[in-house]
Amino acid sequence: TQLLEQSPQFLSIQEGENLTVYCNSSSVFSSLQWYRQEPGEGPVLLVTVVTGGEVKKLKRLTFQFGDARKDSSLHITAAQPGDTGLYLCAGGAGNNRKLIWGLGTSLAVNP
Amino acid sequence: NAGVTQTPKFQVLKTGQSMTLQCAQDMNHNSMYWYRQDPGMGLRLIYYSASEGTTDKGEVPNGYNVSRLNKREFSLRLESAAPSQTSVYFCASSEVKLPSGNQPQHFGDGTRLSIL
């Protein structure tokens, strides 16, 4: 069974701090997606990484896919209250239309 | 562009009642999904439809049925609701483009269902 473990589970920081959240597995994934979910809404895709070692930047967010395609990280620079939310990673395995979901990291950025 | 629309947004049922959750997408996507999201359990796949005319069980299908009415619509039915089915239900859609594999899923805003 493929599993994705996210850490930390909860994170509360002050505005302006940097943070990194992790998504780890013992399985290889063909792609890794990161989503952000705000209260009362569905998850919204932030980025998809598909190549081992790939780094993608989205403004203050930096996403990295591990060389072996088993893990990924999300780094936020100078966090802002608008970054508050649940960050979910989801792994894809080839042509299977289903995704394997992590349990998420709940981030609170305090003004 | 509405994306994925779910109705209703909130619902309270009594044990044993039945109801259907509706989902429609306007992105011409082939694949559609139903998830439930519970604290500490994450998103769990109930059923999915890879394309119009096909449906398959996901991780937690017991107590649910689905209908892929057409390419746009995918409904989830609870025949005899139980308190264990209290949850937030999300519908999602995606466009599978082979051979790259998994494509991003687009979610609705959910149906919050309470069963007393």
Side-chain angles (χ1 to χ4, degrees):
Chain A
T1 303
Q2 291 179 301
L3 295 173
L4 273 171
E5 296 183 357
Q6 290 190 244
S7 61
Q9 187 176 0
F10 300 98
L11 191 55
S12 180
I13 61 171
Q14 294 299 121
E15 182 175 1
E17 292 184 8
N18 301 332
L19 67 117
T20 302
V21 298
Y22 300 92
C23 177
N24 296 308
S25 176
S26 58
S27 302
V28 175
F29 291 98
S30 60
S31 67
L32 208 297
Q33 301 172 16
W34 284 93
Y35 294 76
R36 180 168 66 209
Q37 184 179 17
E38 299 187 23
E41 299 182 4
V44 175
L45 180 76
L46 295 173
V47 77
T48 300
V49 285
V50 296
T51 305
E54 182 176 3
V55 177
K56 280 192 174 179
K57 293 190 176 183
L58 186 66
K59 297 182 180 179
R60 294 175 293 99
L61 280 60
T62 301
F63 303 86
Q64 185 166 7
F65 201 12
D67 291 341
R69 290 186 287 129
K70 293 182 178 181
D71 53 83
S72 181
S73 63
L74 158 59
H75 182 80
I76 301 178
T77 302
Q80 299 178 1
D83 295 326
T84 293
L86 179 67
Y87 288 81
L88 295 161
C89 65
N95 295 334
N96 190 326
R97 292 167 176 79
K98 297 184 286 186
L99 294 174
I100 307 299
W101 291 87
L103 295 184
T105 292
S106 181
L107 172 65
V109 182
N110 306 302
Chain B
N1 193 344
V4 179
T5 302
Q6 292 185 236
T7 56
K9 295 189 183 302
F10 302 92
Q11 185 70 50
V12 179
L13 293 178
K14 294 180 179 179
T15 298
Q17 288 185 316
S18 62
M19 81 160 294
T20 299
L21 280 62
Q22 306 288 350
C23 174
Q25 52 94 7
D26 62 3
M27 295 172 283
N28 202 36
H29 285 170
N30 283 308
S31 300
M32 297 185 73
Y33 312 79
W34 275 105
Y35 292 92
R36 58 179 291 174
Q37 187 175 38
D38 303 286
M41 302 294 288
L43 279 166
R44 293 183 291 171
L45 184 65
I46 304 171
Y47 271 92
Y48 69 104
S49 172
S51 61
E52 185 179 356
T54 68
T55 61
D56 287 285
K57 295 179 180 179
E59 182 183 355
V60 288
N62 291 343
Y64 305 95
N65 286 301
V66 290
S67 296
R68 183 74 183 266
L69 304 172
N70 47 56
K71 192 172 185 179
R72 290 187 64 248
E73 299 173 287
F74 189 37
S75 62
L76 178 71
R77 183 164 178 82
L78 286 70
E79 290 290 353
S80 179
S84 61
Q85 294 178 304
T86 293
S87 186
V88 182
Y89 291 85
F90 288 100
C91 177
S93 69
S94 71
E95 178 64 18
V96 178
K97 298 178 181 177
L98 301 176
S100 58
N102 304 98
Q103 293 300 307
Q105 294 187 7
H106 299 260
F107 285 79
D109 284 338
T111 294
R112 283 139 191 87
L113 181 62
S114 293
I115 299 163
L116 307 177

